Amino acid sequence: SYFGAVNQHPTFVHQTTPEVTEVEEQTDLSIDSELWLPSQDTLQLISQSTDGALDPQYLTKARPNSTVAFVSPAIELMMKYHGEAAAQRLQTPLPPVSEANLQQLVKEGRLLSAVNMLTELLNSAEMSPNTIKLWTLRFTLLIKLKLYSTADVEMAMFGNLDNCDLYYEFYHGDHPGKKGSIVPWRLRLLWSILPLHCPSAGGLYGALDRMYGLVYHLDQALLAGLPYLQEQRVIKYKTSLLIQVAGALAGSGSIQPAIKLLMQIKNDQPDMAVPVSNAIIRLYYQVGNIHKGESLLAEVQNKLSEEEKEMNNGFKCIAHGEYNEAYQHFARVVNLNPTNAVASINGAVCLLYLGKLSDSIVQFEGASKISLHPMLLFNLVSLYELKTIANTTKKYHLLDSITSKSDWEAFPFECLRL
């Protein structure tokens, strides 16, 4: 996650915990199905389905919230500022609806088009072990594209993920002997974090309630005993979930509870000590607890790459208010890794704090040729607005740069403030 005030002024980016909306290759999502077995009430409903006496109200009535295709705000912006021909250039028709073409759209970064194709695929699809994979991809994309209200409405159709048609026992004819939930771990994780973005789903406390419920369930599975490989996967699930809890706490301003939880992960998972320590160090610096940050940095310093060392030293200098020294550290990171957008952003903001507005803009513009990171462009737009009232032409150029990329559909165009 990237924490920090998102306002109308340039801001540092404090890189701490990872996001969970990255689109990854679909694998055997049913491998841990028996971690979630149906309750007695659900088993009774499943038996009624076998007898043909099940009331349809107990089935998952999941459908896309609307059959109207999503349209990127970029098309409206291009129409407004560049005319109809420029807008039409972005309106590429969907290929024929198929799962193969869906995966190709995702691979190309055409994520909004992928969501629209999923609308076609899911609009009349009955629930099944294959359909749930498509829903998992849809929720991943909706959250990544910040289409939270749609995700909230559609996720509510799945209830608490315990409907009888969300278990293999319901499909005993097609999957004889198979037991447990057809809902993959990724969908459970998305279900748990979605309230963070939707007050109507409970906000922070709704998300924490869901996440800690999942943690409890995984703990019970570990206590009951599992085969070694499955046990390792469950530990990985629990760790990723606790990292999301820490991110939610830190994002809400509860830094100390987040640090305490990350410390627990660091102690329980030695193989994650370095990345988790980096997150803790940056949180310490973020709240001004420089002594503890430096102490932990000294503990892991010899295990860090040069890039990580320079990043942490840059954050330390920001905490001290030493912006010139911080800039030097971030500049060295960019020399080591020109694609490190966080270092580019923070280095440019340091220049602004040193009173070098024009130099800051030049650095942001140079970085934008390598990475179109949303926070990078948000800060660049903020600097354009600080420098001159006549900033719209500069924003047009950024709009053109973004829409010239193959994956422009995934970009949050609101950061351009056009």
Side-chain angles (χ1 to χ4, degrees):
S1 297
Y2 299 97
F3 305 125
V6 179
N7 47 39
Q8 300 301 305
H9 306 288
T11 180
F12 289 111
V13 174
H14 299 276
Q15 186 183 29
T16 54
T17 58
E19 301 289 351
V20 297
T21 54
E22 292 307 309
V23 181
E24 58 187 28
E25 185 179 352
Q26 299 287 349
T27 56
D28 181 4
L29 299 177
S30 66
I31 196 166
D32 294 308
S33 61
E34 292 189 27
L35 289 175
W36 276 269
L37 296 173
S39 63
Q40 287 301 315
D41 289 343
T42 304
L43 275 175
Q44 186 174 356
L45 291 172
I46 290 172
S47 67
Q48 291 178 21
S49 71
T50 305
D51 299 334
L54 179 65
D55 189 325
Q57 69 172 314
Y58 296 111
L59 298 178
T60 306
K61 299 180 179 64
R63 289 287 183 271
N65 187 43
S66 172
T67 57
V68 177
F70 288 100
V71 178
S72 171
I75 293 174
E76 181 181 344
L77 290 173
M78 292 294 279
M79 176 75 77
K80 181 177 180 180
Y81 296 111
H82 292 308
E84 185 175 350
Q88 286 181 342
R89 176 177 62 82
L90 300 181
Q91 294 174 299
T92 307
L94 280 179
V97 176
S98 71
E99 292 188 30
N101 284 334
L102 170 66
Q103 294 303 326
Q104 185 62 31
L105 289 174
V106 172
K107 184 178 179 180
E108 293 172 359
R110 294 179 59 190
L111 304 189
L112 203 61
S113 295
V115 170
N116 288 333
M117 184 171 286
L118 280 162
T119 299
E120 297 290 329
L121 286 167
L122 292 169
N123 192 45
S124 58
E126 296 298 323
M127 188 54 62
S128 71
N130 184 62
T131 304
I132 201 72
K133 295 180 183 180
L134 297 178
W135 276 109
T136 300
L137 177 58
R138 182 173 174 88
F139 285 121
T140 300
L141 296 177
L142 288 173
I143 294 175
K144 186 175 181 65
L145 293 168
K146 296 181 170 58
L147 298 171
Y148 300 127
S149 60
T150 298
D152 183 30
V153 170
E154 294 180 4
M155 189 73 82
M157 300 176 192
F158 287 82
N160 61 358
L161 306 180
D162 189 46
N163 295 342
C164 61
D165 56 351
L166 297 180
Y167 291 94
Y168 278 102
E169 287 86 342
F170 185 84
Y171 307 96
H172 56 86
D174 297 323
H175 301 274
K178 187 80 172 175
K179 294 182 178 180
S181 178
I182 68 172
V183 178
W185 168 250
R186 171 168 285 272
L187 181 52
R188 291 186 188 278
L189 189 54
L190 294 171
W191 171 81
S192 72
I193 67 167
L194 182 57
L196 291 172
H197 309 288
C198 304
S200 61
L204 171 65
Y205 295 107
L208 291 176
D209 184 59
R210 291 183 180 185
M211 286 191 278
Y212 276 118
L214 290 179
V215 170
Y216 175 79
H217 190 97
L218 295 175
D219 279 339
Q220 293 301 111
L222 290 169
L223 286 172
L226 297 167
Y228 176 76
L229 291 177
Q230 189 177 40
E231 179 185 64
Q232 295 307 301
R233 281 197 305 276
V234 170
I235 291 172
K236 181 180 178 181
Y237 294 161
K238 179 183 173 182
T239 301
S240 69
L241 186 56
L242 289 175
I243 288 174
Q244 294 307 314
V245 173
L249 291 169
S252 69
S254 301
I255 303 296
Q256 291 305 323
I259 290 174
K260 183 178 179 180
L261 186 53
L262 289 170
M263 282 290 193
Q264 176 189 326
I265 297 169
K266 173 178 171 288
N267 295 331
D268 291 346
Q269 300 296 319
D271 59 322
M272 294 193 66
V274 171
V276 173
S277 294
N278 279 333
I280 297 169
I281 289 165
R282 294 167 192 185
L283 287 173
Y284 274 140
Y285 289 154
Q286 190 175 342
V287 296
N289 196 335
I290 299 170
H291 174 73
K292 286 192 174 181
E294 291 181 341
S295 176
L296 183 55
L297 179 58
E299 181 184 320
V300 298
Q301 186 81 351
N302 293 333
K303 300 176 183 178
L304 301 179
S305 66
E306 283 302 310
E307 183 177 350
E308 290 172 321
K309 289 177 184 177
E310 294 291 354
M311 285 294 290
N312 283 331
N313 286 326
F315 285 116
K316 179 175 70 174
C317 290
I318 289 174
H320 279 293
E322 299 169 346
Y323 299 114
N324 185 56
E325 292 79 0
Y327 170 74
Q328 299 301 325
H329 287 296
F330 291 127
R332 283 193 281 273
V333 172
V334 174
N335 285 334
L336 290 167
N337 178 10
T339 65
N340 190 321
V342 174
S344 296
I345 293 168
N346 288 344
V349 175
C350 285
L351 290 174
L352 180 65
Y353 275 58
L354 293 168
K356 300 178 180 180
L357 174 59
S358 295
D359 290 344
S360 182
I361 290 175
V362 168
Q363 171 143 336
F364 270 126
E365 288 178 334
S368 70
K369 295 175 182 177
I370 299 172
S371 168
L372 291 175
H373 189 290
M375 278 299 294
L376 190 156
L377 296 189
F378 170 86
N379 279 315
L380 178 54
V381 166
S382 298
L383 295 188
Y384 285 155
E385 292 174 349
L386 280 173
K387 187 172 184 180
T388 175
I389 295 175
N391 54 60
T392 307
T393 301
K394 296 279 191 180
K395 295 181 184 181
Y396 294 164
H397 292 323
L398 292 178
L399 175 64
D400 293 342
S401 295
I402 297 163
T403 54
S404 68
K405 305 292 184 182
S406 61
D407 59 351
W408 62 270
E409 290 184 13
F411 193 83
F413 287 90
E414 64 273 12
C415 78
L416 299 182
R417 298 203 289 275
L418 279 168

